Amino acid sequence: MSDTPQLDGAPLFLVDDLPDAPEVLVDGAEGRHATDVLRLGPGERVHVGDGHGTVAEGEVAAAGPEGLRVAVRTRFEVPPPAVEFVLVQALPKGDHGPLAVDLATELGVDRIIPWQASRCVTRWRDDRVAKGVAKWRSAARSAAKQSRRPRLPEVIEPMTTREVCGLLADADLAVVLHEAARRPLAELALPGAGTVVIVVGPEGGLADGEVVAFRAAGAEPVRLGPEVLRTSTAGAAALAALSARTRWA
């Protein structure tokens, strides 16, 4: 069993600033959700985190229009995992982007990188990049709260194919999900520490040139199974398979 501190069944709320004080105020949208939706009241146990691994555990002292006032009983730090999971996600169409982020967050991703693959239907023009990244970050935050993750995954600015190749070259293990690959992901030896990068292509599939470039950068094409998954679910399936061999063991 791991000695890493774990959150129990009490709900988790995320705040931008978690002061080192005997009482913490959860206000704004978080506070309204706690009082109006969850109907939390005095005496109920909650966790309040900063999204970077610091968590305060305590009881609701008061609930009202201003939000929740939480009397802190204890604090603890949840360290980052030894193996960092990075998902390079080709831009899916419609609302499948936030869905991919939601599922990946629930299943353990640590960093998410939007990627404009050559066959992507969706295109983030320069004036839409900030809005797209913000939407993905919002999805990651909501999923982290739901799954009680004390550490928010980082959603960074989109990368080009060349930039993705640089990321793959620096990884301790890099894989590209490809339906035509012969080697299954389950056969790969995983590092005990470092960075594992997973590349997921778009609905139209990876272009041959992209596969060649990624292989040259050190990534290995792998398959998950006999089925061909949607781009919005393939990353989550890979993360689940990796987590089962590392963090869930």
Side-chain angles (χ1 to χ4, degrees), residues 115-136:
W115 169 47
Q116 185 75 69
S118 63
R119 293 179 178 171
C120 281
V121 175
T122 295
R123 297 282 167 177
W124 282 1
R125 301 187 304 269
D126 290 345
D127 59 341
R128 296 188 62 185
V129 169
K131 183 177 180 180
V133 171
K135 196 170 184 178
W136 283 29

Side-chain angles (χ1 to χ4, degrees), residues 3-248:
D3 293 329
T4 301
Q6 301 290 326
L7 277 66
D8 57 21
L12 169 68
F13 298 97
L14 297 173
V15 295
D16 293 332
D17 180 38
L18 185 59
D20 186 6
E23 188 175 88
V24 174
L25 174 64
V26 180
D27 58 4
E30 291 283 83
R32 289 191 295 273
H33 180 73
T35 56
D36 298 343
V37 179
L38 299 182
R39 302 284 184 178
L40 295 178
E44 296 191 71
R45 292 184 56 255
V46 297
H47 295 102
V48 183
D50 63 358
H52 303 289
T54 302
V55 179
E57 185 271 331
E59 297 177 350
V60 176
E66 67 174 355
L68 290 185
R69 290 198 173 275
V70 179
V72 177
R73 296 198 309 184
T74 185
R75 293 172 181 268
F76 56 89
E77 294 283 336
V78 178
V83 179
E84 178 193 32
F85 293 152
V86 179
L87 175 64
V88 177
Q89 175 67 59
L91 301 180
K93 59 185 177 181
D95 291 332
H96 288 266
L99 173 61
V101 172
D102 182 296
L103 295 174
T105 299
E106 292 184 32
L107 291 164
V109 74
D110 300 298
R111 193 163 20 129
I112 301 171
I113 301 168
W115 169 47
Q116 185 75 69
S118 63
R119 293 179 178 171
C120 281
V121 175
T122 295
R123 297 282 167 177
W124 282 1
R125 301 187 304 269
D126 290 345
D127 59 341
R128 296 188 62 185
V129 169
K131 183 177 180 180
V133 171
K135 196 170 184 178
W136 283 29
R137 286 173 178 166
S138 178
R141 186 181 183 91
S142 295
K145 286 169 50 184
Q146 187 278 329
S147 54
R148 299 190 176 101
R149 282 191 54 172
R151 287 184 169 273
L152 280 172
E154 181 185 12
V155 179
I156 70 171
E157 297 290 314
M159 281 189 176
T160 64
T161 298
R162 177 172 293 184
E163 290 170 331
V164 170
C165 287
L167 178 74
L168 299 176
D170 291 337
D172 295 278
L173 174 65
V175 299
V176 178
L177 302 187
H178 198 294
E179 68 274 10
R182 295 184 177 181
R183 191 172 187 185
L185 176 62
E187 284 187 0
L188 295 184
L190 302 181
T195 301
V196 173
V197 180
I198 307 145
V199 179
V200 176
E203 288 90 346
L206 294 163
D208 291 343
E210 291 167 342
V211 176
V212 170
F214 293 157
R215 288 182 66 106
E220 180 167 2
V222 296
R223 59 180 171 82
L224 290 171
E227 295 82 12
V228 177
L229 302 183
R230 294 181 183 273
T231 185
S232 54
T233 56
L239 288 162
L242 294 170
S243 291
R245 296 175 58 190
T246 55
R247 303 177 185 180
W248 300 347

